[in-house]
Amino acid sequence: MRLVKARVQNYRSIRDTGWFDVESLKTIFVGPNEAGKTAVLQALQQLNPTKGLPGFDPLRDYPRSSYNDITTKKVDPATTKVVEGVFSLEPEDMTEIPKGFESCTYVFGKYLNNSPWHGLENAPPTPTYGSIRKDLARLMAHVDSRTPGGDGTVQVVLPSSELTAITAGWNDATGLKVATIGGLQGWLKKVFPTIEEGSEDESRYDKIIAQLEIDLNRDKTLALLHSRLPIFVLFNNYFRVKPLIHLEHLATRIESKVLDDDQYDYGNKCLLSLLGFTARELSSMGRATEPAVGDLPGLKQYRDQLDKRTYQLNAASVRLTEEIRSVWVPDAGRAEADKLRVQADSQYLKVVVEDDLGVEIELDQRSEGFQWLVSFFVVFFAEAADRHENAVLLLDEPGLSLHGLKQRDFRKTISRLAEKNQTLYTTHSPFLVGPDELDLVRVVEMTDRKVGTKINTNLTAGDPAALLPLQEALGYDLAQSLFAQQRNLVLEGLTDYWYIEALAQLLRESGDVDLDQRIACVPANCAGKVVYYATILHAQKLKVAALLDSDAAGDQAASQESLVHALGNKGILRTKDFYNGPVKGPEIEDMLRETLVAAAKTELGWDVSAKAALQTTRPIVDVFEDGIKDFSKFKLAKAFLRWARAHSGSDLTATEKSDSIKMLTTINKILK
C-alpha cells in the first residue's frame, strides 16, 4: 500500500495540520525552526511504529496549553484523533481483495490513547434491510408454499414465522451488518433445499446472499489491509555507529537489558545485525583457543569459524564501501573514501577507513558528515533486511552535517531508496530540494501558536522564512545555469518549466524527439520579466530564445523593443506558432487541453470535461477557473507532472503530441 494523504491533530505544537497529499515516492517538508516538522514525522510514525516504540502519552503529547481539557474530562483520549492516513492499494494488495472492493482506499488512524481505528473509502456501502425486504418477502412466500402444511391443512410452524422473529424490530434503514445478520443467514441456509434450481426464487436467493456478504467482505478487506499496513520507520541524526566496540561489554548490556544509551547501542546493534552475528557470538570467537596439536577436526572447526567471521565482515565492508562511494564523490581526484573496513580483533570490533595512501583511520577521526553517512547506511541496511521491507521511511533532517554538494549527491540516494520504500523527509537545505522536485514539497509553518502547525500542499506560506529553502534552491540552480549553459530557453514561469521538462521526458522516452540536453530552461517568474532575463543572457553572448504564451501578457512582452533587439523575431517563440486548435490566444496549457482535463479529473477530482467540450474556443485555464473553486495553475501543472510519471508520450492525443514535437523541434533548431 502507498500513503496518499495524511492528517495530524492534537499533538504537541499541532492543533490540526489539515489534510496534506503525500507523493508516491518521496515527499519533502520544508519550513523554519519550531514550525513542527519533526512533530509531524513523529506523529506519522505512530500509524504503525516499529516494535518496542512507546505510543502516545497524553501528558507529554497533547498540546500543553490545552491539557486542562483532559484533566477536567472535556477531552477523552479514547475519542481524540491524533494521526490518520489514507492508503491506496498496489496490485499485490488486490490479489486477495474480495470482489467489489478492488478500487477502495484504506483509512487508518490512532487516537490519543493509542487505540486504532480504520475504514474504507470508495467501497460498496453496507446494504440495508430495505434493499432485500421485497425479495425476501417473495422468497418467504415461496418457501411457505413448499412446506408441508403450508396450505393450512396441518398446524405447523411456517418458515415465515421464524423469519418474522429474526427480523423483529428491523426497518428499511437497518444495516445488514455482520453482527446482526447471523440469524438471517442461518434461516436462508435452512430453507435453501426447498428452492427449485434455476427458478426465479433461486435468483432472489443469490441476490439476497450477495447483499448479506457485502459487510462480511468489508470486514475481510479491512483485516487484510490492516495486515499489510506498512511500518513507519523514523531515522534521526542520533543513531551513530561507534568506531570501536567492546564486544563482551555490549553482549552483557544486551543480555541484561541494561543499556548505557539506547541511541548509542542502537547503531552498534544494527552493525552487528548487518554482519550477521550477535555480540555474544563475536565475543566468543575472540576468546576461542586454538585446538591441540594433532586435533585435525578441531583445527578445521577453528579455522572455519574464523574464516566465516572474516568473510562476513569483508562482505559487509564491500557493500558499505560501494554505497558510500555512490554518494561521497572524491574531491579533486582524491580518493576520500577508498575503502571502509569492519575488523574484529579479539574483543574489539573496529570500523576504519583506508585512505588513498593505504593508511587505516578510525571512523571517528573522519568528518561528521562522513560518520553520519556511514551510520545511515548501516542502520538502513540492517533494518531493511529485517522487518522494514514494507516500510515508509521518515527522515528527519537527513545529511545535516554533509557539505552542500554532498547533500545534492545524497538527494539522489534518497530517490533511490524511495523507489522501494516510500520516503518523507524534512530539510532546511536547498541542496536536498531539486529544481525538478518543487511539486514534491510541502511547506510547514506555524504563524500563530494558537492555530498551531499547518501544512500547505501549495508552494505558499504566511511566513516567508518557510519558503527560504525553495528560494535558495531555485536561486542556486538559476545561478548555476544562468551563465554556465551556452543555450538558454527563457520561460514565463515555473509551471511552464514543468510542462516543458515533462513533455521533453515523455517524448524522449517514446523516441519522438529529444530536447537538446545542453539547453537550460530558465523560468522568469512572469511574462514581464522574460525581457530582463533574455537581455542579461544575450549580453553575455549566449544563445537565447524565449517561449511566451499567446495571451495578453505574452503579447505585451513579445512586442517590447529590447526583447526583439536581443533575440530577433526568430528567437521569440509563441505558443500559437505550434498550437493546432480553435483557441485564439493559446497558453501552453491549451496545447495539452484534453490530457489536462483527464489528468485533473483523476489526480485532483476536478471534472470540467462537460464545460471543456462545450467551450472549445475558450482557454482551458479559464474553463478551470470558472468550474473549480480555489483553482490554481500550480495544482494543475502538478497534476500533469504526476500523470506524466505514470504515462508515456503515446498517451498524449495525436494533436497534442504533434504540437509538442513541433515545439521542441523548433526550440532545438533555434538554439542549435
Side-chain angles (χ1 to χ4, degrees):
M1 288 189 293
R2 293 263 175 184
L3 181 67
V4 293
K5 62 179 180 178
R7 181 184 187 184
V8 180
Q9 306 174 72
N10 306 305
Y11 183 74
R12 300 189 180 181
S13 66
I14 303 170
R15 302 286 183 174
D16 186 355
T17 62
W19 284 103
F20 57 92
D21 295 334
V22 177
E23 300 294 334
S24 61
L25 294 180
K26 69 178 183 180
T27 305
I28 309 169
F29 295 95
V30 303
N33 291 329
E34 302 297 318
K37 300 186 299 298
T38 299
V40 170
L41 295 189
Q42 290 173 334
L44 288 175
Q45 186 185 20
Q46 293 293 338
L47 279 171
N48 193 19
T50 55
K51 187 179 296 184
L53 187 77
F56 294 125
D57 180 351
L59 177 62
R60 306 296 178 191
D61 295 329
Y62 192 72
R64 193 64 53 83
S65 62
S66 302
Y67 184 71
N68 281 345
D69 290 343
I70 292 181
T71 59
T72 59
K73 309 297 184 182
K74 291 181 180 179
V75 170
D76 182 3
T79 59
T80 302
K81 290 183 178 180
V82 178
V83 60
E84 52 192 313
V86 177
F87 299 82
S88 64
L89 275 55
E90 300 284 284
E92 56 268 24
D93 298 316
M94 299 183 187
T95 55
E96 301 177 43
I97 295 291
K99 186 177 180 180
F101 287 81
E102 302 90 345
S103 61
C104 69
T105 52
Y106 181 59
V107 185
F108 184 85
K110 286 279 188 73
Y111 293 109
L112 186 58
N113 71 342
N114 295 295
S115 60
W117 59 272
H118 61 179
L120 298 173
E121 292 182 349
N122 302 320
T126 299
T128 62
Y129 179 55
S131 66
I132 65 168
R133 181 173 53 79
K134 292 180 180 179
D135 285 318
L136 196 59
R138 293 186 178 96
L139 183 64
M140 181 173 57
H142 168 77
V143 171
D144 279 353
S145 69
R146 295 180 65 87
T147 302
D151 56 0
T153 57
V154 181
Q155 190 69 25
V156 297
V157 177
L158 295 175
S160 59
S161 300
E162 298 176 16
L163 182 60
T164 300
I166 291 171
T167 59
W170 290 14
N171 57 46
D172 283 354
T174 300
L176 300 178
K177 295 183 175 294
V178 173
T180 60
I181 62 174
L184 178 56
Q185 287 177 314
W187 183 85
L188 289 167
K189 183 177 180 181
K190 179 180 177 181
V191 303
F192 178 71
T194 67
I195 300 174
E196 185 178 350
E197 184 178 357
S199 66
E200 185 178 357
D201 289 304
E202 186 179 37
S203 298
R204 290 194 182 99
Y205 177 90
D206 292 339
K207 180 181 177 181
I208 294 169
I209 290 294
Q211 291 291 92
L212 296 181
E213 287 180 344
I214 288 178
D215 206 57
L216 177 63
N217 288 337
R218 177 186 299 275
D219 285 355
K220 288 180 179 178
T221 302
L222 285 170
L224 174 66
L225 296 181
H226 183 259
S227 70
R228 300 184 64 86
L229 189 70
I231 291 176
F232 285 69
V233 185
L234 175 61
F235 291 99
N236 62 34
N237 291 312
Y238 303 108
F239 296 151
R240 290 297 178 94
V241 173
K242 300 304 175 183
L244 191 64
I245 303 170
H246 192 284
L247 295 166
E248 174 62 31
H249 291 174
L250 179 59
T252 301
R253 290 201 307 276
I254 293 174
E255 291 166 357
S256 63
K257 298 182 179 180
V258 178
L259 302 179
D260 294 338
D261 184 339
D262 187 54
Q263 292 178 340
Y264 178 102
D265 282 316
Y266 186 77
N268 295 337
K269 288 192 294 183
C270 284
L271 177 60
L272 291 171
S273 175
L274 180 65
L275 299 176
F277 293 103
T278 66
R280 177 57 65 197
E281 287 172 337
L282 283 178
S283 176
S284 298
M285 289 178 185
R287 289 198 307 269
T289 56
E290 295 188 20
V293 176
D295 183 5
L296 296 181
L299 182 62
K300 182 179 184 304
Q301 183 180 1
Y302 177 73
R303 178 183 174 186
D304 288 347
Q305 189 178 33
L306 294 181
D307 283 348
K308 178 183 178 183
R309 179 177 70 174
T310 300
Y311 296 161
Q312 287 187 229
L313 295 180
N314 182 64
S317 300
V318 170
R319 185 182 183 191
L320 284 171
T321 297
E322 289 177 349
E323 290 296 330
I324 291 169
R325 279 181 175 176
S326 70
V327 178
W328 202 264
V329 182
D331 297 325
R334 181 164 55 88
E336 190 170 358
D338 191 24
K339 291 182 181 179
L340 190 75
R341 296 186 183 276
V342 183
Q343 304 171 338
D345 180 14
S346 186
Q347 285 301 305
Y348 285 94
L349 189 68
K350 297 171 60 179
V351 182
V352 299
V353 182
E354 182 182 308
D355 65 15
D356 53 341
L357 297 177
V359 177
E360 293 183 348
I361 303 172
E362 284 77 8
L363 180 61
D364 63 346
Q365 295 184 33
R366 302 308 300 262
S367 68
E368 280 290 315
F370 187 73
Q371 291 182 57
W372 181 89
L373 202 63
V374 171
S375 299
F376 173 82
F377 280 117
V378 166
V379 172
F380 175 75
F381 288 144
E383 295 286 14
D386 185 11
R387 59 184 181 274
H388 299 154
E389 207 164 299
N390 177 31
V392 175
L393 304 182
L394 308 171
L395 309 181
D396 194 15
E397 293 290 344
L400 191 62
S401 52
L402 294 177
H403 182 274
L405 297 181
K406 291 290 192 296
Q407 290 180 351
R408 187 180 61 183
D409 294 329
F410 186 66
R411 188 175 76 227
K412 300 174 185 176
T413 299
I414 296 177
S415 296
R416 189 153 43 90
L417 296 176
E419 291 176 359
K420 294 185 177 180
N421 295 94
Q422 193 174 11
T423 302
L424 295 78
Y425 67 93
T426 66
T427 188
H428 291 134
S429 171
F431 297 98
L432 285 175
V433 182
D436 58 342
E437 295 179 340
L438 296 185
D439 62 312
L440 310 180
V441 170
R442 306 292 178 267
V443 180
V444 184
E445 64 174 342
M446 182 168 56
T447 56
D448 185 340
R449 287 200 172 272
K450 292 182 179 180
V451 176
T453 298
K454 291 291 183 182
I455 298 180
N456 299 311
T457 299
N458 294 336
L459 292 182
T460 57
D463 181 1
L467 298 178
L468 185 60
L470 306 184
Q471 294 168 344
E472 291 176 341
L474 283 173
Y476 178 80
D477 188 63
L478 182 59
Q480 290 293 303
S481 64
L482 197 55
F483 303 115
Q485 298 296 326
Q486 184 66 27
R487 298 163 176 80
N488 297 271
L489 176 66
V490 183
L491 303 167
E492 287 190 13
L494 182 60
T495 55
D496 291 353
Y497 171 79
W498 284 348
Y499 285 123
I500 293 294
E501 287 290 325
L503 281 173
Q505 184 67 26
L506 286 170
L507 297 176
R508 181 183 301 120
E509 292 175 352
S510 64
D512 292 293
V513 65
D514 188 2
L515 181 65
D516 194 329
Q517 301 285 316
R518 297 170 296 176
I519 296 175
C521 294
V522 182
N525 194 36
C526 67
K529 292 184 179 179
V530 169
V531 63
Y532 300 118
Y533 280 80
T535 302
I536 292 172
L537 291 166
H538 178 72
Q540 300 297 317
K541 302 188 183 303
L542 302 174
K543 291 185 177 181
V544 187
L547 177 63
L548 296 166
D549 288 333
S550 298
D551 56 3
D555 289 341
Q556 185 176 356
S559 64
Q560 294 190 41
E561 290 185 10
S562 53
L563 184 64
V564 176
H565 175 73
L567 306 185
N569 289 325
K570 290 185 178 180
I572 303 175
L573 307 177
R574 307 298 303 280
T575 48
K576 65 183 179 182
D577 299 334
F578 316 111
Y579 169 72
N580 183 20
V583 178
K584 290 185 177 180
E587 302 177 60
I588 195 168
E589 288 87 354
D590 293 301
M591 296 180 62
L592 298 166
R593 185 184 184 96
E594 292 184 41
T595 294
L596 288 182
V597 170
K601 184 177 181 179
T602 57
E603 300 290 340
L604 300 170
W606 294 351
D607 188 1
V608 297
S609 52
K611 284 190 175 183
L614 293 173
Q615 304 174 16
T616 57
T617 61
R618 195 179 182 197
I620 192 62
V621 170
D622 292 350
V623 175
F624 274 108
E625 285 178 340
D626 278 356
I628 303 299
K629 184 181 179 181
D630 299 325
F631 166 77
S632 78
K633 295 180 71 172
F634 169 82
K635 285 185 178 180
L636 183 61
K638 183 178 174 183
F640 178 72
L641 284 178
R642 287 199 294 264
W643 180 92
R645 290 191 181 108
H647 292 78
S648 64
S650 60
D651 294 320
L652 297 169
T653 68
T655 301
E656 291 171 346
K657 186 175 180 180
S658 174
D659 292 351
S660 300
I661 291 174
K662 182 180 178 182
M663 178 177 65
L664 297 184
T665 302
T666 303
I667 292 171
N668 284 339
K669 183 178 180 181
I670 295 296
L671 294 173
K672 67 179 179 179

